[in-house]
Amino acid sequence: MPPHRRASGLIGLAAALALGAGTAAEPGAGLIEGPGRALVYAHCSGCHGLDLVRAQSGDRNFWTTVVRRMQANENLWRFDPRTEDQLLTYLARHYGVPPFAGRRAPLPPSLRPGAGQRHN
């Protein structure tokens, strides 16, 4: 394929992706539905993508530490106590640490080390 056609194809693809991304953007897009979602969208997406929020997981202490770090180092504003409580509650509930399910079931004998080896 000639280079100019390849470039025009890539430009067209980029334009289509950009238009598609614009139509999918809505308040809270991609965040788990629940009380506090709109607050997280409003206060977090102004500085960074929501993928960063969705990629994290931690308990309320973890999220409090994240907020405090951003307030100390990245000019995040202070929240009134009610707003901060709603933000942290939402994040801990929906992007928290999954509960420990206990120890996994033992491996079947065919998957254990040395399975299938002959012993002489």
Side-chain angles (χ1 to χ4, degrees), residues 46-99:
C47 298
H48 55 74
L50 296 174
D51 288 345
L52 187 60
V53 174
R54 292 190 303 262
Q56 306 296 316
S57 64
D59 61 11
R60 189 178 182 96
N61 289 333
F62 167 81
W63 287 109
T64 300
T65 301
V66 169
V67 168
R68 296 289 179 263
R69 180 185 49 77
M70 289 187 291
Q71 288 171 331
N73 302 324
E74 300 169 29
N75 295 321
L76 176 63
W77 48 90
R78 296 280 174 193
F79 301 113
D80 65 84
R82 183 171 184 251
T83 299
E84 183 169 281
D85 180 60
Q86 290 174 331
L87 286 167
L88 295 173
T89 298
Y90 172 85
L91 291 167
R93 179 175 294 142
H94 298 291
Y95 298 96
V97 178

Side-chain angles (χ1 to χ4, degrees), residues 12-51:
L13 176 61
L17 290 173
L19 287 173
T23 58
E26 62 182 59
L31 293 174
I32 297 169
E33 182 67 46
R37 179 177 95 159
L39 286 173
V40 170
Y41 178 82
H43 290 287
C44 299
S45 67
C47 298
H48 55 74
L50 296 174
D51 288 345

